[in-house]
Amino acid sequence: MKFQNVKGTRDFYPEEMVRRNWLMGMWRKISRRHGFAEYDGPTFEYLELYTAKSGDGIVSELFNFEDRGGRQLALRPEMTPTLARMVAARANALPKPIKWFAVPNFFRAERPQRGRLREFLQWNVDIIGAAGEAETLADAECILVAVDFLRSAGFSPEQVEIRISSRALLAELLNCLGVENERHPATYTLLDKKEKQPDEVWQEELRRSGITPDQQQHLTQLAGARGAEAHRVIQNTLKTSTSPDGAAYAQLQQLFVYLRALGVADYCVFDLGVVRGLAYYTGVVFEAYSKGTLQRAICGGGRYANLLSAMGGGALSGVGFGMGDVIVLDQLAEMNLLPDSALSFDCYVAVEEQVDTVHLLKLVSLLRMKLGLACNYSYKSTSLKKQVAEAASQQVKYLLIMGTQLQLKNMQSGQQQLVAEHLDWSTAAAETELLSRLKQMLGNSPD
RNA sequence: GUGGGUGUAGCUCAAGUGGUUAGAGCACUAGGUUGUGGUCCUAGGGGUUGCGGGUUCGAGUCCCGUCAUCCACCCCA
């Protein structure tokens, strides 16, 4: 019987693990420097937690099972329900705003394809409980974190952009056009599809949507309007109403003022075509869009004003985004931005023929446990040349050569120094002497 | 769930229209170059050609099924 990994899952051999750890490290570093605290929850929850948010239809999309007590459980397909549950449990005790992030693995029973697997990692960043004016600050900070990551990973504004819009603004505009509230969700879906299908198909769907020809014409102008053009279209639309609201429009303009102040405006573009598929977004919506050969969203997020209360979490508004590792790594690879994934250790001890293995082990143990260095040596007695070659293949910074003398070689500079003329393991004092000598030489060597 | 492409060594690929014992490079292992940078030389291990059936004197090659994988659709938290 030959086994293989389950469809849609990945094995992480050391080389891939280096990349994965690099990405997770970036996510954590970026999150922390913007003042976010890491949290996590269980890998599985009660099935109802997910059906409560997304309806029974979600069940076919997730891995669910029954435990021995007959309870219906499911592997987590996303973090928001868990987050809502955790926040709800301590809603009154947690200081606001709550700025949390997580880098969990998720499971979805979907058909795998490029950029989508059945188990994947996703960076989740949320700010919950910022109210009033502070909402826009939180929106800006969320987008800032996303841009900071993309820029730090090496994406240029030519390679990726953050497309930003607002559901609240769209609602305002639809009201001006006289589209009834109950038609808003369907209209959002329509707008969302504008760029994803041929124009004739979209126009056909528009005709069948049940809104008036006049409304259809305005909607065509709105959909996909970007930057200055979007502002012009909005101003024209607001004029068509006798009592325009304009609050959401003002808020969105304020958001862009903040983004300019934060220095990330070059990555951001106002784009009315961004809607996001999720029903629960109520305010700002945004996505990072890759402009590579495979054009697609790298991350997506937005403001959800009612989600937590709908899940028993109290009247707290939140804003957040998620970024999956599969697409990010895919896009980084395409743009040649992935770091070197070779193994690397701190040092390697090579021995000449006459060296006693017991002495070798004593030195290795000093390096590993007293100096805390990641250190390797060969189990076999092979030529010095092969040991040096192996050291080089492990990308070590230092090579220690043990013979009658002990020498230290800096593998980057090629410089070699004498550590000790003779190695004396007979007394504890001699060992301490050697240790401090090594500490000094390794500590002072330039990396 | 629908449609399409692809399955030969760990990886990248060979093997005229069916024809002897399925090959190469890289990687891996061992030995050598008596030793300080991924070298070079030699040797070796590794394959039921995804699996099952069929056609045939004979199938990696043709046919059917199945599984896996990739791509697109659906969906996208």
Side-chain angles (χ1 to χ4, degrees):
Chain A
M1 187 69 190
K2 191 177 175 183
F3 294 106
Q4 64 178 75
N5 60 324
V6 174
K7 182 203 286 274
T9 65
R10 288 169 290 179
D11 294 324
F12 291 90
Y13 287 87
E15 190 182 317
E16 288 95 38
M17 203 62 202
V18 168
R19 286 213 185 98
R20 170 171 149 182
N21 284 334
W22 170 80
L23 182 63
M24 303 271 282
M26 286 281 288
W27 283 346
R28 290 200 163 98
K29 184 180 82 180
I30 302 289
S31 304
R32 290 196 51 79
R33 75 181 178 205
H34 293 279
F36 287 75
E38 184 167 4
Y39 72 101
D40 198 358
T43 309
F44 51 92
E45 297 266 11
Y46 289 112
L47 180 61
E48 295 98 297
L49 184 68
Y50 302 116
T51 53
K53 180 195 154 199
S54 308
D56 290 338
I58 198 71
V59 176
S60 65
E61 311 260 292
L62 43 77
F63 288 100
N64 60 310
F65 57 100
E66 189 180 305
D67 74 3
R68 294 186 192 186
R71 286 170 280 261
Q72 296 297 315
L73 307 176
L75 296 181
R76 61 184 176 194
E78 60 164 323
M79 208 55 184
T80 309
T82 298
L83 175 64
R85 184 177 62 70
M86 288 170 67
V87 168
R90 299 191 183 179
N92 294 327
L94 293 167
K96 315 293 180 307
I98 298 162
K99 291 171 61 176
W100 285 1
F101 80 96
V103 286
N105 55 342
F106 294 120
F107 307 85
R108 296 181 188 175
E110 290 177 307
R111 194 160 186 155
Q113 53 186 281
R114 185 172 176 189
R116 282 171 77 176
L117 297 171
R118 290 185 166 181
E119 181 183 13
F120 58 95
L121 299 161
Q122 187 175 282
W123 183 31
N124 282 70
V125 175
D126 289 273
I127 303 175
I128 294 167
E133 304 270 303
E135 273 196 7
T136 306
L137 283 170
D139 292 345
E141 190 157 53
C142 247
I143 292 169
L144 170 67
V145 173
V147 174
D148 188 13
F149 167 80
L150 295 168
R151 185 156 62 191
S152 299
F155 287 109
S156 70
E158 287 70 42
Q159 291 169 320
V160 67
E161 66 187 7
I162 307 273
R163 300 177 171 178
I164 302 166
S165 184
S166 162
R167 285 278 181 94
L169 170 61
L170 285 174
E172 261 175 21
L173 296 172
L174 293 180
N175 284 338
C176 286
L177 298 177
V179 177
E180 301 88 338
N181 278 331
E182 54 270 28
R183 283 200 196 277
H184 285 192
T187 312
Y188 291 155
T189 307
L190 200 56
L191 286 171
D192 193 41
K193 284 183 176 173
K194 174 74 160 71
E195 280 197 57
K196 295 170 184 167
Q197 53 192 208
D199 202 47
E200 316 88 70
V201 179
W202 190 76
Q203 289 293 342
E204 180 56 33
E205 283 201 34
L206 187 61
R207 273 193 290 280
R208 286 182 307 182
S209 65
I211 58 177
T212 68
D214 191 43
Q215 288 168 343
Q216 287 177 27
Q217 198 193 336
H218 268 96
L219 216 55
T220 307
Q221 289 180 342
L222 285 175
R226 294 162 58 102
E229 190 205 341
H231 287 289
R232 194 175 49 75
V233 173
I234 289 166
Q235 279 150 17
N236 284 342
T237 308
L238 289 174
K239 272 185 218 159
T240 63
S241 172
T242 48
S243 56
D245 182 348
Y249 183 42
Q251 201 171 14
L252 193 73
Q253 287 175 306
Q254 185 62 46
L255 173 65
F256 274 86
V257 170
Y258 290 156
L259 291 173
R260 276 192 289 276
L262 291 166
V264 294
D266 53 338
Y267 280 86
C268 300
V269 59
F270 177 29
D271 187 337
L272 276 172
V274 176
V275 180
R276 305 294 302 159
L278 278 174
Y280 61 68
Y281 287 129
T282 53
V284 162
V285 284
F286 61 93
E287 59 193 25
Y289 205 81
S290 169
K291 297 192 251 184
T293 56
L294 184 76
Q295 304 214 338
R296 69 191 300 168
I298 294 177
C299 83
R303 174 160 291 279
Y304 42 90
N306 311 314
L307 183 61
L308 264 69
S309 56
M311 303 200 61
L316 291 171
S317 176
V319 61
F321 71 86
M323 180 184 292
D325 73 309
V326 185
I327 293 171
V328 172
L329 289 175
D330 181 87
Q331 292 300 297
L332 284 168
E334 185 177 311
M335 294 172 181
N336 269 322
L337 296 172
L338 279 179
D340 184 9
S341 64
L343 298 178
S344 70
F345 294 95
D346 297 322
C347 70
Y348 190 99
V349 181
V351 292
E352 291 176 21
E353 219 168 44
Q354 70 279 13
V355 172
D356 186 341
T357 301
V358 168
H359 293 161
L360 165 63
L361 294 180
K362 286 191 174 190
L363 179 61
V364 167
S365 137
L366 278 188
L367 292 164
R368 287 180 175 173
M369 293 190 280
K370 299 287 190 199
L371 293 177
L373 295 173
C375 175
N376 259 326
Y377 67 94
S378 175
Y379 287 175
K380 300 165 298 205
S381 51
T382 57
S383 68
L384 189 55
K385 194 183 181 88
K386 287 205 170 163
Q387 294 179 71
V388 175
E390 186 168 81
S393 78
Q394 294 185 5
Q395 302 209 326
V396 300
K397 296 188 194 80
Y398 303 110
L399 175 69
L400 280 148
I401 302 163
M402 241 183 138
T404 50
Q405 301 177 325
L406 181 64
Q407 293 179 301
L408 174 70
K409 179 168 184 168
N410 182 319
M411 294 290 276
Q412 272 130 44
S413 66
Q415 285 174 349
Q416 193 162 318
Q417 302 167 268
L418 189 67
V419 180
E421 194 68 45
H422 298 288
L423 284 176
D424 179 6
W425 302 100
S426 59
T427 64
E431 237 180 85
T432 308
E433 167 67 24
L434 174 64
L435 181 61
S436 68
R437 179 97 175 111
L438 281 170
K439 194 179 281 183
Q440 181 205 342
M441 293 183 73
L442 294 174
N444 290 343
S445 299
D447 284 329

